[in-house]
Amino acid sequence: MESKEIRKRFLRFFEEKQHEIVASAPMVIQNDPTLMFTNAGMNQFKDFFLGNSQPSSNRITDTQKCLRVSGKHNDLEEVGMDTYHHTMFEMLGNWSFGDYFKKEAIEWAWKLLTKEFKLPADRMYASVFGGDEADGLEMDQEAFDYWKEIIPEDRIISGSKKDNFWEMGDTGPCGPCSEIHIDLRSDEEAAKVPGRDLVNMDHPQVVEVWNLVFMQFNRLANGSLQNLPAQHVDTGMGFERLAMAIQGKKSNYDTDVFSPLINFIAESAHVKYGENEKTDIALRVISDHIRAIAFAIADGQLPSNNKAGYVIRRILRRAVRYGYTFLGFKEPFMNTMVPLLAEQFDGVFPELVAQKEFISKVIREEELSFLRTLDKGLAKLEIITNQAKNVNGLIDGKTVFELYDTYGFPFDLTSLIARENELSVDEEGFKKEMEIQKNRSKKAAETSAGDWVELKRTEEVQFLGYESLSAKSSIVKYREIDEKGKKLFQIVLDRTPFYAESGGQVGDTGYLSDGDKRISIIDTKKENNLTIHFSNELPENLEAEFDAVVNSKKRKLTENNHSATHLLHAALRQVLGPHVQQKGSLVNEKVLRFDFSHFSKMTDEEIDQVEKIVNQKVRENISLDEKRNVPIAEAQEMGAMALFGEKYGDFVRVITFDKDYSVELCGGTHVPATGTIGLMKIVSEGSVAAGVRRIEAITADRAEEYYTKQNKLVAQVNELLNSPKDLVKAVETLIKEKQELTKTIESVNLEKAGAQKDVLQKAIKPVNGYNVLIAEAQLPDAEGLKKLSFELKNEINNLIMIVAADIAGKPQISIMISEELVKSLNLHAGNLIKELAKEIKGGGGGQPFYATAGGKDLSGLPSVVTKAKEIIDGITNH
C-alpha cells in the first residue's frame, strides 16, 4: 500500500466515525510562548483540553506536521544515525474533546491496524501506565481491562511514567497513555528473543507505532496534578513508522515516503544506498532534513541567527555539511530537491507546491553562504592542526567549540580530522563550553510562571476592541510570572477592548480602573487563543468591576501603520509582480515594517512608484470594508490573500480597501478610511534573508515630521552655500574639489614617506647576517607607514624592522620580519608588538611577519626603540 493511500484510509476511517477532518496547523508556532514548533498533534488543540475555548466538533482527525529538534523533544542528533528518528514527521491523530474515552480509542485503534491495514495481531504489544507513587497515581486498570478483551495478557506491558504518562512540557495537559508497539523482525529473530522484551529498548525493528493518550490532568507549576474540566482522547501515530510496518520494510527510509528523495540524492552523488554506512547516514540526514527545512520556510520561518530561525539554519547546515563531507557536494544541491518534495505532498500540504520556487531560492542562498563558511572553517582548522602539532598535539575544547559554533563543525568532524593528523581533541573542554552556551541561552530566555488563580468561569473571552476602546470588565483569572528576574502579573478579563499582539501588530497598552485605583496594562499578548494582559501589579479588589481602557493615541497611530501595510502590500504586487507575498511584519505606533518575497533590490523608481500608489489610495479616502465570520471558502472566492504559516479557522475576518485593490484576511485593527493615514513615506528598503526584502515606512505625524526635517536640512545646506541657483550642482562641485585636494595631500604625504624611507634605509645595520632596522620616524599617516614597511621588506633580505613612529602627534609601532626569519628565529611580530606597545600605553597585534600597534603616550617612543634593541640584540646575538 502506497503512503498516500495509507494517509487517505486513516482519515476516512475516522471520518466514518463522525470525526471532522481538519487541516494541519503550521509547523512554526505563533502564539504559544512555551513552544517554538508544533511538536505533537495536540498542540493546536491545547485550549480545548484546558477549557479555554470550544472546538467546532467534539471529534476531530488530521495529519499534523511536527518538528522535534529543540526543548524536551529533541531528536536531532539521532536523525540519520538510526532508521526511525526524524526532525519533521507527520503525526496521524484522532481526538475526542469530552466525548468518547478509553474504550472506543483502544477498540478503534486495534480495528484500524489489524482490519484496515492488516498488520499482524500476533506481532503487536500494548503498554499501559503502571502508576506512579510520587504523583499518587495508581495503575491504569481501566485501559488494562479493555486491552485484555482484545489481546492476551502476556502482550500487555505495564509501563513506567517515563514511557506511559504523556506530558507536552513541564506544565499543561497530560495523562496516562497506551502505546501500541509492533515487532517487524523476521520469524527467526522473533523466535530467539520475544518482542515483549524489546519494547521501549530502542530496537530499530521493535517500534512504537501509535500512542493513545488519555488526557485527564493539568500539570501545575508546582508539579501537582489537577483534573481537567473534561476527559479527552489525544492519539498520535507516526505516519512514517506506520508506512514502514504496512509496507514490510525494516527502515522508515526504505518506504516510499523517503525512497524517492534518497534515490535522487544518491544519483546526484553517484553513490548507492545500502553499500556504505557513512554515505547511507548522509543520505538519510539530507532526505530527512530537506523536509523540515522546506516546510518551515513554507510556514513563514526563514533561516536566521535567532530562535526558531536559528534552529532551521542548524538543520540546513547539518545537512549541507553531511553532503559536503561524505557525498562530495561542493555546490548547492538541497534546493534541487524541492520540486520533488512538493510533488510528493501535492494534495496533502499545498503550501509546498504554491511556494516551491521561493523555498528553492531561499535554500540555495543559505547553501551558498554556508559552503563559503565551510571553506573558511576548513582553512582555519588547517591552521589549528598545524599549531597543535607544534605545541602538544591537542586541540583545546574552546577551539573545538568555536569551530562548532561559528563554522558548523560538529565535534565528530573535528575529531576525525584531528585523528587524520595524529592529533587529539579536548572533549571535556568542548562539553564544558557547550554547557556554558546552553546555560547562557536558557538564562536569556528564562521565564517561569505560577499557576492560574481562577476567580470565575467563563465560556470565552469577548474581544470588543474593533468597536470600542473601553469596556466594563471583570477578572476571570490571573497568575504571577518571573521574566528574567522581573515580577509581572498576567490577567485574563471576561470582556476586553485590548488587542493582543498578533499578525505583526503590537499589543495594546492602557489601564484598568475600579474608581479608586488605576493599574497600568503594559502589554497584551495571546497565549494560544487566550488574551493575556500584562501588569506590574494587581488591583487590590480582584473581584471588582473595572473600566478597561486602551491607550487611544497609541492604538490610532498603530492602526494608521497597519492599514498602510495593506495598501503597501497591494502596491508592491502591482509594481513588482504577483510573486510578492508577505513574509512578516511589525506594526506599532512609530513605524511599519513589511517583509516580502522578492529576489532583487528595488530600484529608486520602483520605490517611488510604490509610494505614489499608496499615497494616491490614501487621498482617495477609501472606507474600510470589514466582514466578520466569513466562511473561508467564500473569502477565498472574494480574492482575499491568506498568509502562509497562519492557521485560519472555518470562519475568517476579511479587510477590504477597494475590492479591486486590497482584500486580505486579517484579525488586526484598522483605520475607518484610508484618509486617516494622512501620508506614507518609505524610509528604507533592504534585504533581511535570502529572497526576502524589508521595507520600513512611517505614516501620519511621523511622515510629516520627516518631510519637515528634510526641508530644514535642504534649507540649511542652501544657506551654507549662499543659495546657489543649482543646489545639486553646487554640492557636486564641492565633492569634486574635495577629491582633488585629497589626491594632492596623498601625493605630498607619499613624497614625505619616500624621503623618510631613504633615511630609514641608511639606518639599517647588518648584525650576524641579519639586516636590523630599529628607529624612530615621523610620518604623515598610518597608510604611509604600512606602505613603507612592505616596500622595505620586499627590497631588503633577512629584514627585522621595528619603527616607532609619530603619526600626526599619535604614537604608532610597525614591525616587519622576513618570512624566512619568522621560521628560523621562531619570531612572531604579533606577540612582540604586544610587549612593545606597553611603552606607549597602547595595544596591537597582527601576523607572524607583520604587526602594528597604536597608543596614547607619544613620549614613550624612545623607550620603544630602547626595549626593541634589547630584545633583538638578544635574538640576533644568540
Side-chain angles (χ1 to χ4, degrees):
M1 190 185 298
E2 289 187 350
S3 57
K4 285 186 177 181
E5 181 62 22
I6 294 170
R7 192 190 287 111
K8 280 181 187 175
R9 288 201 187 186
F10 176 89
L11 295 173
R12 188 175 62 208
F13 178 89
F14 284 103
E15 186 179 31
E16 289 170 355
K17 296 191 174 349
Q18 294 76 53
H19 287 65
E20 178 188 348
I21 300 175
V22 301
S24 170
M27 200 166 67
V28 182
I29 289 186
Q30 303 292 341
N31 293 316
D32 188 341
T34 65
L35 290 170
M36 273 188 198
F37 303 102
T38 297
N39 64 5
M42 62 80 66
N43 291 162
Q44 65 169 311
F45 306 125
K46 195 159 80 168
D47 272 350
F48 302 156
F49 295 131
L50 291 169
N52 293 332
S53 56
Q54 299 301 312
S56 56
S57 169
N58 287 333
R59 296 183 180 189
I60 280 175
T61 187
D62 74 351
T63 178
Q64 172 66 52
K65 298 174 293 185
C66 297
L67 189 67
R68 289 188 179 176
V69 288
S70 60
K72 180 181 176 183
H73 300 289
N74 186 350
D75 298 338
L76 181 59
E77 296 309 318
E78 288 152 7
V79 174
M81 301 300 171
D82 60 31
T83 58
Y84 55 92
H85 276 102
H86 303 290
T87 51
M88 180 266 169
F89 60 96
E90 282 185 73
M91 189 170 279
L92 303 169
N94 59 288
W95 284 268
S96 163
F97 304 111
D99 189 2
Y100 63 84
F101 201 44
K102 296 179 184 179
K103 184 176 189 297
E104 294 86 346
I106 290 170
E107 286 178 357
W108 291 342
W110 191 254
K111 183 178 179 182
L112 179 63
L113 292 175
T114 58
K115 304 298 183 189
E116 182 75 23
F117 292 139
K118 304 193 184 310
L119 291 174
D122 61 347
R123 282 303 192 93
M124 286 192 282
Y125 300 85
S127 62
V128 298
F129 177 53
D132 184 75
E133 190 176 333
D135 277 333
L137 296 174
E138 295 181 355
M139 174 189 169
D140 190 352
Q141 189 65 43
E142 184 183 4
F144 181 87
D145 291 341
Y146 288 136
W147 277 116
K148 197 167 65 171
E149 294 174 14
I150 296 171
I151 57 176
E153 282 191 44
D154 65 350
R155 283 196 282 119
I156 306 172
I157 298 163
S158 177
S160 65
K161 178 181 175 181
K162 176 180 173 290
D163 292 324
N164 283 87
F165 193 88
W166 198 91
E167 303 193 61
M168 193 183 68
D170 294 332
T171 61
C174 56
C177 62
S178 273
E179 295 176 339
I180 302 173
H181 298 257
I182 188 164
D183 183 355
L184 301 173
R185 296 174 302 156
S186 65
D187 291 340
E188 186 181 4
E189 287 179 290
K192 292 177 183 175
V193 181
R196 176 190 178 94
D197 295 347
L198 298 175
V199 166
N200 283 326
M201 300 300 289
D202 290 328
H203 192 286
Q205 271 88 56
V206 182
V207 294
E208 173 202 330
V209 70
W210 205 345
N211 191 8
L212 315 177
V213 180
F214 309 120
M215 292 286 191
Q216 297 175 242
F217 307 107
N218 182 31
R219 176 77 67 181
L220 301 178
N222 63 11
S224 64
L225 295 173
Q226 180 186 69
N227 287 323
L228 289 169
Q231 295 179 326
H232 313 286
V233 170
D234 157 27
T235 84
M237 175 153 57
F239 172 62
E240 296 79 9
R241 291 187 185 183
L242 178 63
M244 173 176 68
I246 292 172
Q247 294 177 6
K249 305 295 183 182
K250 300 297 183 187
S251 160
N252 291 0
Y253 293 94
D254 292 336
T255 68
D256 67 340
V257 178
F258 287 97
S259 57
L261 293 169
I262 286 177
N263 293 338
F264 180 89
I265 307 161
E267 191 175 324
S268 301
H270 307 294
V271 300
K272 193 171 181 181
Y273 186 58
E275 290 188 347
N276 179 287
E277 180 62 15
K278 286 183 178 178
T279 57
D280 284 356
I281 289 172
L283 292 168
R284 290 196 291 265
V285 165
I286 297 165
S287 63
D288 171 274
H289 287 11
I290 186 62
R291 290 159 33 106
I293 297 156
F295 275 108
I297 295 170
D299 280 350
Q301 182 56 65
L302 297 167
S304 71
N305 286 330
N306 295 305
K307 298 180 181 177
Y310 178 65
V311 174
I312 301 307
R313 179 166 280 170
R314 269 186 67 211
I315 297 172
L316 190 149
R317 290 184 166 191
R318 184 173 188 255
V320 172
R321 198 269 301 172
Y322 267 94
Y324 184 100
T325 306
F326 300 108
L327 299 177
F329 288 127
K330 307 303 181 190
E331 297 294 329
F333 63 94
M334 292 189 66
N335 60 294
T336 63
M337 300 164 65
V338 174
L340 174 60
L341 191 66
E343 184 185 324
Q344 272 190 281
F345 286 102
D346 192 13
V348 186
F349 302 120
E351 57 269 32
L352 281 189
V353 176
Q355 299 183 86
K356 64 182 178 184
E357 185 180 348
F358 172 73
I359 295 165
S360 296
K361 286 181 176 179
V362 171
I363 292 174
R364 177 178 167 76
E365 290 300 316
E366 280 288 319
E367 287 186 275
L368 281 168
S369 172
F370 183 54
L371 285 167
R372 288 193 292 268
T373 302
L374 262 179
D375 284 335
K376 288 178 188 173
L378 286 168
K380 185 171 179 66
L381 187 53
E382 186 177 354
I383 294 168
I384 290 165
T385 54
N386 287 334
Q387 288 174 342
K389 285 175 184 175
N390 294 329
V391 187
N392 56 4
L394 177 73
I395 302 176
D396 66 90
K398 204 164 189 174
T399 302
V400 178
F401 175 76
E402 183 192 346
L403 286 164
Y404 164 80
D405 196 44
T406 307
Y407 300 100
F409 280 38
F411 177 83
D412 59 350
L413 178 61
T414 303
S415 184
L416 175 68
I417 294 170
R419 283 198 303 275
E420 288 172 355
N421 286 274
E422 297 181 349
L423 301 169
S424 58
V425 293
D426 175 14
E427 186 172 358
E428 287 306 312
F430 171 75
K431 287 178 180 177
K432 186 179 177 183
E433 292 296 324
M434 285 287 286
E435 194 62 33
I436 290 169
Q437 187 200 49
K438 282 180 186 175
N439 291 336
R440 190 164 52 236
S441 301
K442 190 177 177 183
K443 195 171 182 181
E446 209 165 54
T447 298
S448 60
D451 294 320
W452 287 107
V453 178
E454 199 166 295
L455 300 179
K456 70 175 193 176
R457 295 289 299 169
T458 184
E459 284 296 310
E460 200 166 340
V461 173
Q462 284 182 276
F463 175 62
L464 308 173
Y466 293 139
E467 298 84 11
S468 176
L469 295 181
S470 63
K472 294 288 186 183
S473 306
S474 299
I475 296 177
V476 173
K477 57 183 177 180
Y478 69 90
R479 69 179 175 187
E480 185 180 319
I481 68 166
D482 188 296
E483 198 170 76
K484 297 178 186 176
K486 185 180 179 182
K487 185 169 79 170
L488 295 172
F489 294 93
Q490 294 180 336
I491 299 168
V492 177
L493 304 173
D494 59 349
R495 306 164 79 242
T496 180
F498 288 81
Y499 180 80
E501 180 181 322
S502 184
Q505 180 175 336
V506 297
D508 281 333
T509 58
Y511 65 86
L512 296 181
S513 171
D514 63 358
D516 296 326
K517 189 179 178 184
R518 177 185 292 189
I519 69 160
S520 295
I521 299 300
I522 57 174
D523 201 358
T524 312
K525 293 183 182 290
K526 271 188 179 177
E527 188 169 313
N528 301 304
N529 290 321
L530 200 61
T531 299
I532 295 173
H533 309 77
F534 287 73
S535 178
N536 290 316
E537 57 182 325
L538 286 174
E540 290 178 9
N541 182 5
L542 292 165
E543 296 184 358
E545 183 177 63
F546 297 91
D547 287 314
V549 182
V550 172
N551 180 331
S552 60
K553 183 179 179 182
K554 180 188 172 189
R555 164 74 87 84
K556 286 173 182 175
L557 289 172
T558 302
E559 288 175 346
N560 287 337
N561 285 328
H562 196 162
S563 297
T565 61
H566 284 229
L567 304 184
L568 175 64
H569 192 184
L572 285 166
R573 287 171 66 84
Q574 271 192 25
V575 174
L576 301 178
H579 66 278
V580 168
Q581 296 282 346
Q582 181 176 336
K583 291 297 172 186
S585 70
L586 169 69
V587 179
N588 59 29
E589 73 277 20
K590 294 177 181 177
V591 69
L592 71 89
R593 192 175 73 200
F594 189 78
D595 297 346
F596 59 98
S597 52
H598 188 56
F599 282 86
S600 60
K601 179 179 171 61
M602 288 179 69
T603 65
D604 291 341
E605 291 75 17
E606 287 170 338
I607 292 171
D608 289 344
Q609 198 177 348
V610 167
E611 206 174 77
K612 187 176 179 181
I613 291 170
V614 171
N615 284 318
Q616 175 61 38
K617 294 299 175 183
V618 169
R619 288 191 296 275
E620 288 175 17
N621 198 27
I622 304 163
S623 295
L624 167 68
D625 179 4
E626 178 211 18
K627 290 184 172 64
R628 300 181 202 171
N629 298 316
V630 180
I632 185 75
E634 186 182 320
Q636 288 167 340
E637 285 174 18
M638 292 165 62
M641 289 185 62
L643 299 183
F644 291 111
E646 290 284 345
K647 173 70 175 173
Y648 297 103
D650 296 329
F651 296 90
V652 293
R653 181 168 175 258
V654 181
I655 297 296
T656 303
F657 290 108
D658 180 350
K659 63 182 176 60
D660 296 321
Y661 181 70
S662 172
V663 185
E664 293 193 30
L665 303 182
C666 180
T669 64
H670 289 275
V671 296
T674 59
T676 308
I677 297 167
L679 180 68
M680 188 204 75
K681 173 62 187 169
I682 295 173
V683 293
S684 70
E685 187 275 346
S687 173
V688 286
V692 179
R693 309 294 297 176
R694 171 174 292 170
I695 277 179
E696 287 199 3
I698 48 180
T699 62
D701 298 354
R702 292 200 82 207
E704 287 180 15
E705 289 168 9
Y706 175 88
Y707 280 111
T708 301
K709 284 180 182 176
Q710 292 298 308
N711 287 336
K712 282 182 179 177
L713 184 62
V714 171
Q716 286 170 349
V717 173
N718 196 51
E719 189 178 337
L720 286 169
L721 296 176
N722 296 320
S723 302
K725 289 181 181 179
D726 189 334
L727 182 59
V728 173
K729 190 174 180 181
V731 173
E732 285 174 346
T733 301
L734 272 178
I735 292 169
K736 188 177 179 182
E737 288 174 357
K738 179 182 179 294
Q739 289 170 342
E740 288 171 355
L741 284 169
T742 300
K743 285 179 183 176
T744 302
I745 292 167
E746 285 174 355
S747 178
V748 171
N749 285 344
L750 283 172
E751 283 180 24
K752 288 181 179 178
Q756 191 66 252
K757 178 182 171 185
D758 292 338
V759 173
L760 290 173
Q761 274 182 312
K762 291 173 184 176
I764 295 172
K765 295 179 180 178
V767 180
N768 294 333
Y770 312 116
N771 289 307
V772 178
L773 170 59
I774 300 172
E776 279 189 71
Q778 197 163 22
L779 289 156
D781 57 29
E783 189 58 36
L785 178 60
K786 180 179 179 181
K787 188 171 183 292
L788 186 150
S789 300
F790 275 90
E791 284 180 358
L792 288 174
K793 171 180 173 284
N794 293 333
E795 294 171 14
I796 311 295
N797 293 326
N798 293 332
L799 178 67
I800 301 173
M801 167 186 164
I802 301 173
V803 174
D806 177 344
I807 307 286
K810 293 183 179 178
Q812 187 155 334
I813 308 169
S814 175
I815 300 180
M816 180 66 77
I817 305 171
S818 297
E819 274 96 339
E820 57 269 23
L821 299 187
V822 168
K823 293 177 183 176
S824 63
L825 295 177
N826 195 25
L827 288 173
H828 194 295
N831 295 337
L832 181 57
I833 208 158
K834 287 175 184 173
E835 188 63 31
L836 295 178
K838 293 174 185 176
E839 303 301 320
I840 56 170
K841 296 181 181 175
Q847 298 162 283
F849 71 93
Y850 177 64
T852 59
K856 299 174 184 175
D857 186 3
L858 189 65
S859 66
L861 291 179
S863 300
V864 171
V865 171
T866 303
K867 192 170 187 177
K869 285 179 178 177
E870 290 173 3
I871 294 170
I872 299 304
D873 283 348
I875 293 169
T876 55
N877 293 313
H878 183 66

